């Protein structure tokens, strides 16, 4: 112990990281675009009700907010949205406004003007995955019918001539990645149908626009294909997991077998939760900037002719699969264990990076930030489980004995936790509460076989791995076995509640907008995930009772904290309310906190600050010696 470090009870260490500081830091930078000397991206504003604006950075360092309040650039396609804007050649951009979901044209020096018609009460329209060609917007359109049905298609919408949108492709339940061939004669895209999710089975199809003749290039019921990109008029790059890993392939339109460009037991893409990303970026000289890795994705440059992949030496350990390239320069979101998510420009020729904007604008002294460590441990049946450990860290204090820990469980459940610097985790670790961020079986980042461990086993494998994480922390002497909690949101909230039902390994649980009951979730959730339970659990309602937390609530003995947005269309408030009521009936300590106007994932600074303060108070009481 250094002279500066006093012995203090865990959870009470002094920290410069405040709830308001964490809440203000959530800029949620996303979807960068580069063109010449300019770079654009989306940026949330927690202090402005969580709205999303579009920002442009010029070569002279000038940064301009393009959308003032109340404009809010968010699309609700699939409810999780995606890239909400596209550049217009010659200047300006088109974007989706959250309030009415219409497309608007923003020309330089002008106010936004609507491109699509005002929505009718009996028919809501939403748009995503946009590009602009020859004065028309190419995008995915989602139509909500008055009888509750949802249909999607790929459409071409005129920018300003007043003509009607033209439907180019329809008939499948879902579409993504629409992209025109260089000669404009063919449209490539990804499609899939219920009950599959895009990481289960998708197809890449090509439609000849002159007559609608369509062929399937790759994919199927048991193959996830993503991100088609035209190499030329007759061949396509795309990502497929046919080898068990999402790798990059090249295929011609003539039916010749696709060729893996760099076969590797690593992932070169991530799950398609949001539309409009890109996990690789072809350069003008024929090479390809490619992301790859297990867990975090590194960046390299691939020569598609000889298959050589050369990693670039950059300050960043991870890159989001949302690249943009103008042929020479790449814009991306990158991060590291000591670097929060940041918008960067990358020169693939040299590896040189230029950083424009960080998710966290003011960082505390690095001595208060935990140094993450990736670990693997043995779970049930001997399988390996992946996690990232963030130990309690402070230059001012230290505790005595093993520390309290919180097991973080990500949502999805087909998602992945990364090692980016995160002030929310540091908020706890700087106060003497360790964090283990769990990538349980079913998480992406470790190949299809690991991802499919959750097939039919949701509520089993994720729970077993969470319990194994707590046991591993205790066995390693890192955590006090009596002071381990569990926390998660959405699908992670389900795992929190289910784990507290199934095991006494946890002293308490915190669920953010978690799923507690399957039958009502299936009937009330949005279309994108309406058949997800078929794959995760099955279709037998009798089986639901053996899995869902609400049916097993009598087994919960530990205190719980439930937090819920009252405008959540993904996991409606009734899910948390029912579980809270059931705990109250049994006399189990439970705090249920709701937030007006919040949806699936809290965006407002005041909401995030209140939720975090409440969570800390919950742990401080829970972990009191």
């Amino acid at each position: 112990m250094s002279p500066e470090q006093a012995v203090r009870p865990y959870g009470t260490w002094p920290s410069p990281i405040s709830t308001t500081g964490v809440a203000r830091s959530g800029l949620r930078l996303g979807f960068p675009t580069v063109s010449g000397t300019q770079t654009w991206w989306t940026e949330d504003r927690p202090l402005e009700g969580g709205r999303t604006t579009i920002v442009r950075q010029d070569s002279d360092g000038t940064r301009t907010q393009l959308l003032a309040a109340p404009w809010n650039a968010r699309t609700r396609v699939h409810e999780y949205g995606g890239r909400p804007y596209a550049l217009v050649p010659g200047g300006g951009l088109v974007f989706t406004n959250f309030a009415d979901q219409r497309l608007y044209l923003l020309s330089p020096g002008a106010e936004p003007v609507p491109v699509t018609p005002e929505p009718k009460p009996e028919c809501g329209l939403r748009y995503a995955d946009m590009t602009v060609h020859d004065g028309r917007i190419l995008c995915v359109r989602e139509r909500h019918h008055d009888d509750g049905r949802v249909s999607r298609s790929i459409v071409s919408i005129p920018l300003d001539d007043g003509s009607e949108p033209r439907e180019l492709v329809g008939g499948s339940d879902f579409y993504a990645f629409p992209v025109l061939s260089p000669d404009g004669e063919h449209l490539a895209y990804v499609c899939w149908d219920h009950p599959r999710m895009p990481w289960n089975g998708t197809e890449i199809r090509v439609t000849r626009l002159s007559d609608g003749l369509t062929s399937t290039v790759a994919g199927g019921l048991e193959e996830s294909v993503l991100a088609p990109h035209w190499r030329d008029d007759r061949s396509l790059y795309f990502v497929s997991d046919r080898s068990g890993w999402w790798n990059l392939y090249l295929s011609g339109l003539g039916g010749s077998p696709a060729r893996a460009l760099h076969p590797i037991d690593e992932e070169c893409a991530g799950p398609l939760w949001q539309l409009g990303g890109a996990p690789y970026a072809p350069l003008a000289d024929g090479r390809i900037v490619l992301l790859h890795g297990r867990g975090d994705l590194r960046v390299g440059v691939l020569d598609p002719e000889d298959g050589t992949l050369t990693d670039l030496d950059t300050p960043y350990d991870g890159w989001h699969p949302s690249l943009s390239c103008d042929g020479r320069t790449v814009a991306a979101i990158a991060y590291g264990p000591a670097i929060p998510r940041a918008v960067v420009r990358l020169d693939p020729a040299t590896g040189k990076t230029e950083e424009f904007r960080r998710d966290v604008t003011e960082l505390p002294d690095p001595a208060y930030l935990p140094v993450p460590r990736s670990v693997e441990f043995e779970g049930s049946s001997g399988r390996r489980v992946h996690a990232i450990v963030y130990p309690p860290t402070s230059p001012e204090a230290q505790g005595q004995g093993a520390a309290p820990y919180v097991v973080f469980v990500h949502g999805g459940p087909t998602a992945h936790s990364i090692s980016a610097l995160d002030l929310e985790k540091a908020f706890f670790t700087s106060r003497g509460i360790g964090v283990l961020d769990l990538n349980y079986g079913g998480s992406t980042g470790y190949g299809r076989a690991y991802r499919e461990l959750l097939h039919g086993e949701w509520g089993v494998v994720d729970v077993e791995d969470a319990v194994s994480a707590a046991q591993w922390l205790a066995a390693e002497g890192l955590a006090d076995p009596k002071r381990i909690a569990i926390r998660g949101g959405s699908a992670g909230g389900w795992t929190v509640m289910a784990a507290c039902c199934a095991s006494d390994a946890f002293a308490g649980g915190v669920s953010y907008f978690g799923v507690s009951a399957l039958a009502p979730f299936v009937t009330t959730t949005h279309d994108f995930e309406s058949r997800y339970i078929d794959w995760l659990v099955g279709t037998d309602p009798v089986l639901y009772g053996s899995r869902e937390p609400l049916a097993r609530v009598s087994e919960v003995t530990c205190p719980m904290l439930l937090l819920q947005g009252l405008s959540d269309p993904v996991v409606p408030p009734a899910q948390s309310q029912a579980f809270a009521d059931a705990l109250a009936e049994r006399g189990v300590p439970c705090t249920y906190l709701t937030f007006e106007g919040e949806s699936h994932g809290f965006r407002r600074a005041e909401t995030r600050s209140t939720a975090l303060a409440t969570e800390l108070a919950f742990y401080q009481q829970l972990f009191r010696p």
Side-chain angles (χ1 to χ4, degrees):
M1 182 177 70
S2 70
E4 294 80 14
Q5 288 180 303
V7 175
R8 295 175 180 266
Y10 287 113
T12 66
W13 297 355
S15 171
I17 304 172
S18 66
T19 59
T20 55
V22 176
R24 291 167 181 261
S25 70
L27 298 181
R28 300 195 193 194
L29 307 171
F31 301 109
T33 302
V34 62
S35 180
T37 61
Q38 296 179 313
T39 304
W40 293 256
W41 64 87
T42 60
E43 182 174 308
D44 282 10
R45 296 294 172 89
L47 296 178
E48 299 178 32
R51 76 177 187 94
T52 301
T53 188
I54 300 171
V55 177
R56 185 189 69 229
Q57 178 111 354
D58 297 323
S59 59
D60 63 0
T62 302
R63 184 184 302 158
T64 305
Q65 176 187 254
L66 300 179
L67 293 176
W71 295 104
N72 187 357
R74 281 176 59 198
T75 170
R76 289 186 62 187
V77 170
H78 295 180
E79 294 299 348
Y80 295 109
R83 181 184 293 271
Y85 74 99
L87 302 187
V88 175
L93 54 84
V94 292
F95 69 94
T96 298
N97 185 48
F98 182 72
D100 56 11
Q101 289 298 292
R102 298 172 75 182
L103 290 179
Y104 286 78
L105 172 63
L106 177 64
S107 299
E111 286 295 308
V113 295
V115 176
T116 54
E118 188 173 351
K120 299 177 182 179
E122 71 276 9
C123 179
L125 297 174
R126 305 174 183 181
Y127 308 89
D129 234 351
M130 296 169 285
T131 54
V132 179
H133 300 273
D134 297 327
R136 299 184 72 87
I137 305 164
L138 179 70
C139 65
V140 174
R141 182 177 68 184
E142 181 177 275
R143 183 186 296 270
H144 291 250
H145 302 267
D146 60 354
D147 61 1
R149 291 182 302 112
V150 181
S151 60
R152 298 171 186 86
S153 57
I154 298 175
V155 297
S156 174
I157 302 171
L159 263 179
D160 54 14
D161 66 7
S163 59
E164 288 295 315
R166 175 190 171 197
E167 183 175 295
L168 304 178
V169 174
S172 292
D173 290 333
F174 301 97
Y175 291 95
F177 299 107
V179 57
L180 284 173
S181 59
D183 61 11
E185 294 184 3
H186 292 87
L187 175 68
Y189 51 93
V190 171
C191 60
W192 69 99
D193 293 305
H194 284 307
R196 290 174 290 162
M197 298 297 283
W199 40 86
N200 302 143
T202 57
E203 293 181 349
I204 291 176
R205 294 179 184 171
V206 172
T207 295
R208 189 164 62 194
L209 295 179
S210 60
D211 59 8
L213 181 65
T214 298
S215 61
T216 300
V217 174
L221 296 177
E222 301 296 329
E223 179 183 0
S224 173
V225 288
L226 304 166
H229 185 101
W230 292 94
R231 185 184 71 165
D232 51 45
D233 290 331
R234 301 296 299 171
S235 59
L236 281 168
Y237 296 119
F238 65 92
V239 172
S240 168
D241 69 352
R242 62 182 61 178
S243 70
W245 300 85
W246 273 315
N247 281 191
L248 187 62
Y249 289 78
L250 174 65
S251 178
L253 300 188
S256 57
R259 174 170 64 93
L261 299 181
H262 183 76
I264 187 172
D265 287 351
E266 293 182 350
E267 301 283 43
C268 298
L272 189 62
W273 281 105
Q274 292 188 309
L275 300 181
Y280 63 94
L283 299 168
D285 62 10
R287 297 178 303 150
I288 301 170
V289 176
L290 181 68
L291 303 183
H292 67 101
R294 295 192 181 196
D296 295 320
L297 298 177
R298 306 184 303 280
V299 64
V301 176
L302 172 69
D303 185 332
E305 299 305 318
D306 63 15
T308 302
L309 178 63
T310 304
D311 279 350
L312 298 176
D313 184 13
T314 75
Y316 307 99
D317 289 37
W319 299 72
H320 282 260
S322 184
L323 306 180
S324 170
C325 182
D326 63 359
R328 296 174 58 86
T329 304
V330 173
I333 306 293
Y335 60 86
I339 305 174
R341 295 169 181 83
V343 178
V344 301
R345 279 174 64 117
L346 167 70
D347 181 351
T350 63
K352 181 180 178 181
T353 57
E354 182 181 6
E355 190 172 295
F356 291 154
R357 180 70 153 160
R358 287 186 169 187
D359 181 56
V360 180
T361 55
E362 295 183 12
L363 287 176
D365 183 330
Y368 290 95
L369 301 176
V371 178
R373 176 168 61 100
S374 295
V375 300
E376 292 183 30
F377 53 85
E378 186 173 303
S380 297
S381 305
R383 67 171 179 271
R384 306 302 294 173
V385 181
H386 301 272
I388 306 171
V389 175
Y390 298 81
T393 305
S394 173
E396 294 188 65
Q398 73 166 3
Q400 289 184 325
Y405 262 78
V406 180
V407 175
F408 276 41
V409 186
H410 65 68
T414 310
H416 175 74
S417 293
I418 59 177
S419 64
L421 188 152
D422 182 353
L423 277 192
E424 189 170 69
K425 295 186 180 72
F427 175 82
F428 294 115
T429 59
S430 64
R431 287 170 167 77
I433 299 172
V435 169
L436 181 145
D437 209 355
L438 177 66
N439 280 311
Y440 52 81
S443 302
T444 48
Y446 308 99
R448 182 164 185 133
Y450 194 76
R451 199 163 77 231
E452 291 196 331
L453 288 173
L454 215 57
H455 187 192
E457 297 294 323
W458 193 37
V460 178
V461 167
D462 52 323
V463 170
E464 289 177 348
D465 289 356
V467 172
S468 295
Q471 294 170 340
W472 178 83
L473 283 169
E476 291 290 305
L478 298 174
D480 179 345
K482 295 182 179 180
R483 293 192 290 173
I484 300 176
I486 183 170
R487 139 323 179 179
S490 190
W494 154 281
T495 303
V496 166
M497 291 184 278
C500 291
C501 292
S503 172
D504 60 1
F506 301 104
V510 177
S511 169
Y512 282 77
F513 36 85
V515 178
S516 69
L518 294 176
F521 177 78
V522 169
T523 59
T524 61
T525 196
H526 58 119
D527 183 66
F528 177 63
E529 291 186 283
S530 61
R531 300 291 300 279
Y532 197 11
I533 300 302
D534 295 5
W535 188 86
L536 289 170
V537 178
T539 58
D540 183 2
V542 176
L543 183 59
Y544 292 175
S546 67
R547 298 285 182 84
E548 62 186 29
L550 188 59
R552 303 176 58 192
V553 70
S554 62
E555 301 170 55
V556 178
T557 58
C558 63
M560 300 202 69
L561 170 63
L562 309 180
L563 303 105
Q564 178 71 48
L566 294 179
S567 299
D568 192 335
V570 179
V571 181
Q575 291 279 335
S576 293
Q577 182 72 62
F579 199 73
D581 290 344
L583 289 175
E585 289 178 8
R586 295 190 55 253
V588 176
C590 176
T591 300
Y592 179 44
L593 194 60
T594 62
F595 299 93
E596 289 281 355
E598 287 288 4
S599 183
H600 199 66
F602 300 156
R603 289 177 171 268
R604 298 172 179 173
E606 58 271 27
T607 300
R608 298 181 65 213
S609 179
T610 299
L612 199 58
T614 304
E615 188 176 355
L616 175 63
F618 177 78
Y619 294 143
Q620 288 174 331
Q621 182 160 352
L622 201 66
F623 297 148
R624 186 177 299 163

